[in-house]
Amino acid sequence: MISIPAALLTRFEECLFAHNIADTYHIHYKKWLRFYLDFCEKYLVEPTRRESLDAFMQKLKDKKQTERQQQQASHAISLYYDLIHTDEPSASLAVPPRGQFKVAEVERPKQYVNRSTPQSSAPVTVTCPNEARSPQNNLRTQPILPSASPVTSEKVRPPSGASWKLEYTRLVEEIQIRHYSPKTLKTYQQWLRQFQAFTRSKPPESLTAMDVKEFLTWLAVKRGVAASTQNQAFNALLFFYRHVLQKEFGKVEGVVRAKRRPSIPVVLSRKEIKEILSHLAPPFDLVVKLLYGCGLRLFECLNLRVQCLNFDAGVITIHDGKGKKDRTVPLPATLCAELKSQVAVVKDLHQRDLERKYAGVFLVTALEKKYPRAVKEFIWQWLFPARDLTRVPESGEYRRYHLHETQVQKAIKEAVGKTSLCKRASAHTFRHSFASHLLQANIDIRTIQELLGHSDLKTTMIYTHTVKSVTIKEAKSPLDLWTGA
């Protein structure tokens, strides 16, 4: 399949905006144009002559395309004819000779889909200019069904077609310089793509605070996102403006902010946790026991290596937790036997990997360059290794990774489904249960804060709403409490 030349693609998109074609159907119009050019290339038909449209439409009928699809294709090609037969044709729109269509298509952002446009059941007539040019122009005034190409009255900005490739590269560099999590990079990239689509690929140097304000307002009003989602988008754009564009957008006033609703975490009882564990097979049952017994986040548990376990001191060391912080948690005495058995399983697997000449485990950042032999040392092996080796495309080597988060999440979901629970339980629910049960046992909340790795005590205070209060509500003087002492 050929690609549309970049200059033609840009002008065709501008033509779609000029004719008020809804954003939803831009991708379909460009698809029909690409199919048409490919048809002309394959069957040696001149793509600039309107007579070739009849042969193309007959081809669509032979391929059993629906009536709506044929109408949409006819309208798309008619717009293309109007574009290339203007009174002052641009040299950049000259269609290449047959056999030279295979020009790399420029990477363009995914256009914003306007899902708020009301869908009417009555057909909509799309009229194109210069109707009397030839008899084939009658195709441009056919009724187009709403599902094919509705017309939206919403005022939209035409795409500028500016490239953001450099900005994406700089975003990756700025994230890596600060040693942020790969998940943070992925999230910021997703928000930047949405922001680029919303601004119609506006030149980055011309972005202003008003663009951020309109985008955040659109998220809250049109998409109805949660407050945390809107705040995440705000933080991503703040980082982009400050560290990539090297400018501040200041205080964004007048933004419709999504209302933040207080939420209480789901907490499981001891009986419910035991019921879930009974439906989990190794090693997933041990993973869940560590999530609940130590209050670990899922990625913290899966990132554990053999050297993180200290059976003599009775502690587990968490390296590179949330915020790249380290901490220690007590090693549950009831899990010592199971953990030692798991270490033995890892040792046996590691020995087999060495015999197969594997390249070692994955190490974070530049540790492998600092300790070249560490990748094959036993103490650096994952506590919960993946079942299969992972092939590294760049080098062709096979390395060992840990269990993937989705595998654990899927196992927990299946186990919860086999129980009689009426609660929405996930991997993080066991961490909530850990904190709530300790608070219920009158453990000091500051101690719980340290075990959870919270920077702010306010974060830990949410668990005070998950347990029954045993404090005295009635106001009394301490002197009155001496009575009977």
Side-chain angles (χ1 to χ4, degrees):
M1 182 66 66
I2 67 172
S3 298
I4 306 176
L8 176 59
L9 180 64
T10 302
R11 289 295 303 276
F12 187 68
E13 287 181 340
E14 295 175 353
C15 181
L16 296 179
F17 277 101
H19 287 80
N20 291 329
I21 304 300
D23 300 10
T24 315
Y25 301 96
H26 285 196
I27 186 174
H28 301 295
Y29 272 63
K30 290 184 287 185
K31 176 191 69 174
W32 292 123
L33 176 58
R34 189 158 56 97
F35 285 176
Y36 172 71
L37 296 179
D38 185 72
F39 169 82
C40 296
E41 167 78 4
K42 183 176 181 181
Y43 293 98
L44 303 180
V45 179
E46 184 59 45
T48 59
R49 298 180 62 86
R50 297 179 184 271
E51 291 77 8
S52 59
L53 178 60
D54 295 335
F56 178 65
M57 297 304 299
Q58 184 61 44
K59 187 67 175 179
L60 295 182
K61 292 179 181 178
D62 296 341
K63 287 183 172 293
K64 309 297 182 182
Q65 299 290 340
T66 64
E67 187 67 25
R68 286 198 297 265
Q69 290 174 325
Q70 294 179 38
Q71 290 176 354
Q72 190 182 71
S74 175
H75 187 229
I77 305 307
S78 299
L79 293 179
Y80 162 71
Y81 287 149
D82 286 338
L83 185 63
I84 63 175
H85 289 126
T86 53
D87 295 335
E88 297 179 358
S90 172
S92 61
L93 291 182
V95 182
R98 289 189 296 269
Q100 299 183 17
F101 279 109
K102 298 182 180 179
V103 181
E105 183 176 0
V106 294
E107 182 179 355
R108 302 190 61 80
K110 189 175 182 180
Q111 298 294 335
Y112 158 59
V113 178
N114 180 16
R115 302 188 183 278
S116 62
T117 304
Q119 300 294 327
S120 172
S121 59
V124 180
T125 301
V126 180
T127 305
C128 298
N130 305 325
E131 293 183 5
R133 183 169 296 169
S134 69
Q136 284 81 359
N137 283 340
N138 294 331
L139 293 171
R140 294 196 301 273
T141 57
Q142 296 183 40
I144 306 297
L145 296 180
S147 58
S149 57
V151 177
T152 174
S153 59
E154 182 180 356
K155 185 178 180 180
V156 294
R157 292 169 289 183
S160 65
S163 174
W164 287 32
K165 185 176 181 180
L166 177 61
E167 281 67 30
Y168 281 101
T169 302
R170 292 187 59 185
L171 177 65
V172 175
E173 294 174 351
E174 295 294 335
I175 290 288
Q176 292 178 345
I177 287 174
R178 291 162 177 80
H179 297 286
Y180 285 0
S181 167
K183 289 186 176 180
T184 302
L185 172 60
K186 183 179 179 181
T187 302
Y188 282 15
Q189 286 175 328
Q190 290 174 347
W191 282 121
L192 186 56
R193 280 192 290 267
Q194 292 192 43
F195 184 60
Q196 180 186 8
F198 179 81
T199 58
R200 309 293 177 186
S201 294
K202 185 177 180 180
E205 60 274 8
S206 62
L207 292 172
T208 63
M210 184 57 64
D211 295 314
V212 178
K213 176 182 175 180
E214 292 177 356
F215 179 64
L216 296 177
T217 302
W218 171 73
L219 288 177
V221 176
K222 296 295 184 180
R223 291 185 54 183
V225 300
S228 58
T229 304
Q230 192 189 42
N231 290 333
Q232 186 185 73
F234 176 82
N235 293 333
L237 295 181
L238 177 64
F239 184 91
F240 174 68
Y241 269 68
R242 181 174 295 173
H243 301 293
V244 177
L245 300 181
Q246 300 293 326
K247 62 181 179 180
E248 297 282 348
F249 54 67
K251 186 177 181 181
V252 183
E253 298 180 348
V255 178
V256 179
R257 302 302 298 270
K259 186 177 181 181
R260 189 177 184 89
R261 299 176 178 84
S263 60
I264 299 177
V266 178
V267 176
L268 302 173
S269 65
R270 293 178 176 85
K271 181 179 179 181
E272 291 170 337
I273 294 176
K274 289 181 180 179
E275 188 177 359
I276 294 176
L277 288 172
S278 64
H279 295 285
L280 287 170
F284 302 110
D285 57 342
L286 183 56
V287 172
V288 171
K289 288 178 181 178
L290 286 175
L291 295 179
Y292 170 67
C294 302
L296 304 182
R297 300 177 179 90
L298 180 55
F299 82 93
E300 292 173 343
C301 182
L302 297 182
N303 281 334
L304 289 176
R305 300 180 189 265
V306 173
Q307 62 174 337
C308 297
L309 303 179
N310 191 333
F311 291 101
D312 295 333
V315 296
I316 299 178
T317 303
I318 311 299
H319 293 288
D320 294 331
K322 189 174 182 180
K324 293 294 180 181
K325 294 180 293 186
D326 294 357
R327 73 180 190 277
T328 59
V329 296
L331 193 157
T334 55
L335 293 182
C336 285
E338 292 185 58
L339 288 173
K340 289 180 180 179
S341 177
Q342 178 65 19
V343 171
V345 171
V346 174
K347 190 171 186 178
D348 181 64
L349 177 63
H350 176 58
Q351 187 61 37
R352 294 200 304 269
D353 285 342
L354 291 176
E355 294 174 356
R356 290 186 290 178
K357 308 289 185 182
Y358 90 127
V361 296
F362 289 96
L363 293 181
V364 295
T365 60
L367 275 178
E368 185 173 351
K369 293 183 179 179
K370 187 176 182 179
Y371 307 113
R373 299 182 181 180
V375 291
K376 294 186 178 182
E377 294 179 0
F378 175 64
I379 61 172
W380 287 97
Q381 305 305 304
W382 304 107
L383 182 60
F384 298 104
R387 184 180 61 180
D388 301 317
L389 293 174
T390 302
R391 184 179 182 275
V392 182
E394 293 80 7
S395 60
E397 300 174 335
Y398 286 89
R399 292 178 176 259
R400 179 73 66 179
Y401 197 59
H402 59 64
L403 282 177
H404 200 271
E405 293 182 5
T406 56
Q407 293 177 291
V408 181
Q409 293 166 344
K410 182 178 179 180
I412 293 176
K413 184 176 181 179
E414 292 178 352
V416 172
K418 296 177 182 178
T419 64
S420 57
L421 265 67
C422 297
K423 297 179 180 178
R424 180 176 52 86
S426 63
H428 209 67
T429 306
F430 298 99
R431 177 175 163 89
H432 294 324
S433 303
F434 163 84
S436 300
H437 292 176
L438 287 183
L439 196 61
Q440 197 173 23
N442 295 324
I443 302 297
D444 180 51
I445 193 169
R446 291 299 300 269
T447 303
I448 300 176
Q449 175 194 357
E450 294 179 1
L451 293 177
L452 293 174
H454 289 163
S455 300
D456 194 343
L457 185 61
K458 292 181 180 179
T459 309
T460 316
M461 290 291 291
I462 187 64
Y463 296 109
T464 59
H465 300 282
T466 64
V467 297
K468 185 178 179 181
S469 176
V470 294
T471 58
I472 300 175
K473 304 294 184 181
E474 183 181 358
K476 284 189 176 183
S477 170
L479 290 174
D480 295 335
L481 297 178
W482 292 2
T483 305

